[in-house]
Amino acid sequence: MSDEPIGDAAARRGLALGAFGVDAHDLRTDYQYRETLRREFRTITPGNALKMGPLRPSPHAFDFADADAIVSFGREHDMRVRGHTLAWHEAVPEWFQPWEYDDEQVRNLLRDHVRTVVSRYRGRIDTWDVVNEAVADDGSLRRTAWYDALGEAYVDRAFEWAHEADPDAALYYNDYGAEAPGAKADGVYDLVAGLVDRGVPIDGVGLQLHALDAWPDPDDVATTIERFHDLGLAVQITEMDVAFPRDAVPDDPLAVQAEYYRDVVEVCLATGVDALLTCGVHDDSSWLRFFEDFPERFTGDPLLFDDWYQPKPAYHAVHEALSIDD
């Protein structure tokens, strides 16, 4: 097995391998976290530091300390940095009570937030998840504070404001559950197709690819990617993890997990996906360890590195897939 870092092997194949959910506290305090990220990954996405809630401790103040730390780390180590996210219904500040604002005030809040944040990182953040999870599981648009104030046009405006603030940044729509055919995938397709038709400055779609209850079939993932490519949009895998329901763990879970990672990487290479990010750096940083009832529902070992930062079979399977033409 090659000693080459997996990020370098991916880069040779035109794939930026990265980590989503990078945490400023872990960067500051955990040497192994920091060194694994630096050595193995080539693109990073902050987990919470760039969301509106953490950024806006009060209506008239921003706290960029954690976001600055993560972005600076990425730039120092020649990584691509993805910004996540400018508009998401689950990341509004605690002080924001929508019923206390009229529609114009809500519009101005979102506009000023997008412009301020994107402008601050102009030239330092390469890609933005502009809008996150705007489509409900049934394919309809979610009813959020942004939707209630602006209608579907809030999505258009967010992309337009982001583009005005940094014309060189790649702008993405990001969502879960759209990797395989179904109502959710159709809803996401219809949303971004409408943006393209209206000339909204969108560059791509982020497919989160959380393989938890039902793992999307790799062939379906490839079909979905090509469907978005046909709109002229790039596609990235933005938050991939692979876990098992606790009542359905196979006899050799690490081998099964490894094979699925291999299959998805092969899809990325075959379809021209240019970035794949795992949802965490190592198993002990996975959201499945702490989010709601997920620790009871799913195994908490969904990533390429184990709790002690050691490469797992999935790591080696991905490395082999990336090296097949060497």
Side-chain angles (χ1 to χ4, degrees):
M1 178 62 61
S2 170
D3 292 330
E4 180 183 35
I6 197 169
D8 289 349
R12 287 188 291 100
R13 301 296 303 276
L15 181 67
L17 188 76
F20 171 92
V22 173
D23 181 79
H25 174 76
D26 289 342
L27 274 182
R28 295 183 180 111
T29 62
D30 187 336
Y31 173 81
Q32 286 184 287
Y33 182 95
R34 185 167 61 248
E35 283 303 293
T36 301
L37 190 60
R38 178 198 61 78
R39 183 183 66 249
E40 300 287 349
F41 295 99
R42 298 297 170 263
T43 185
I44 58 174
T45 304
N48 293 314
L50 279 169
K51 293 172 182 174
M52 183 183 285
L55 275 181
R56 305 294 297 272
S58 73
H60 305 294
F62 285 80
D63 181 357
F64 288 109
D66 284 352
D68 283 352
I70 296 169
V71 173
S72 295
F73 178 86
R75 302 310 295 189
E76 179 183 351
H77 296 292
D78 297 319
M79 295 176 170
R80 292 164 56 176
V81 182
R82 300 183 86 260
H84 179 85
T85 175
L86 297 169
W88 184 34
H89 62 282
E90 291 194 9
V92 297
E94 291 185 3
W95 51 259
F96 176 58
Q97 309 297 332
W99 56 89
E100 296 178 351
Y101 296 78
D102 63 31
D103 291 351
E104 186 66 15
Q105 289 173 320
V106 172
R107 178 188 186 278
N108 291 343
L109 172 63
L110 182 59
R111 180 199 62 197
D112 295 346
H113 179 81
V114 171
R115 288 177 173 173
T116 298
V117 176
V118 176
S119 295
R120 181 180 183 86
Y121 297 106
R122 180 169 177 164
R124 292 195 290 159
I125 287 184
D126 311 283
T127 303
W128 283 98
D129 289 332
V130 177
V131 177
N132 190 58
E133 299 177 3
V135 177
D137 292 347
D138 65 1
S140 65
L141 283 182
R142 294 184 188 275
R143 294 295 302 270
T144 69
W146 316 125
Y147 181 89
D148 288 344
L150 286 83
E152 183 177 346
Y154 91 84
V155 179
D156 300 48
R157 300 293 89 76
F159 276 90
E160 290 165 357
W161 294 326
H163 181 69
E164 291 167 1
D166 187 353
D168 295 324
L171 306 181
Y172 275 64
Y173 174 78
N174 191 63
D175 216 326
Y176 69 87
E179 300 87 5
K184 180 66 176 279
D186 289 342
V188 170
Y189 179 87
D190 290 344
L191 174 64
V192 299
L195 297 176
V196 171
D197 288 344
R198 294 190 293 275
V200 174
I202 179 173
D203 297 290
V205 174
L207 301 175
Q208 294 180 13
L209 218 168
H210 296 291
L212 303 177
D213 283 310
W215 298 1
D217 184 277
D219 290 338
D220 288 338
V221 176
T223 298
T224 298
I225 291 168
E226 295 296 357
R227 192 182 186 197
F228 289 121
H229 281 170
D230 288 344
L231 292 174
L233 298 174
V235 176
Q236 296 181 349
I237 306 299
T238 57
E239 305 178 27
M240 184 176 177
D241 43 17
V242 182
F244 300 91
R246 291 206 176 268
D247 59 357
V249 180
D251 291 338
D252 193 349
L254 293 182
V256 176
Q257 179 187 67
E259 191 61 27
Y260 190 74
Y261 266 107
R262 181 199 303 270
D263 289 344
V264 171
V265 168
E266 289 175 349
V267 166
C268 290
L269 296 176
T271 59
V273 168
D274 70 352
L276 185 154
L277 292 87
T278 59
C279 195
V281 174
H282 71 323
D283 284 343
D284 197 41
S285 62
S286 169
W287 68 308
L288 300 181
R289 298 285 181 97
F290 61 84
F291 184 75
E292 295 182 352
D293 63 344
F294 279 34
E296 290 74 44
R297 293 174 56 196
F298 303 107
T299 57
D301 51 355
L303 301 175
L304 303 179
F305 295 90
D306 67 17
D307 285 15
W308 301 274
Y309 298 98
Q310 296 303 303
K312 294 164 57 180
Y315 175 98
H316 299 300
V318 170
H319 212 303
E320 290 168 2
L322 294 168
S323 304
I324 197 73
D325 290 337
D326 287 359

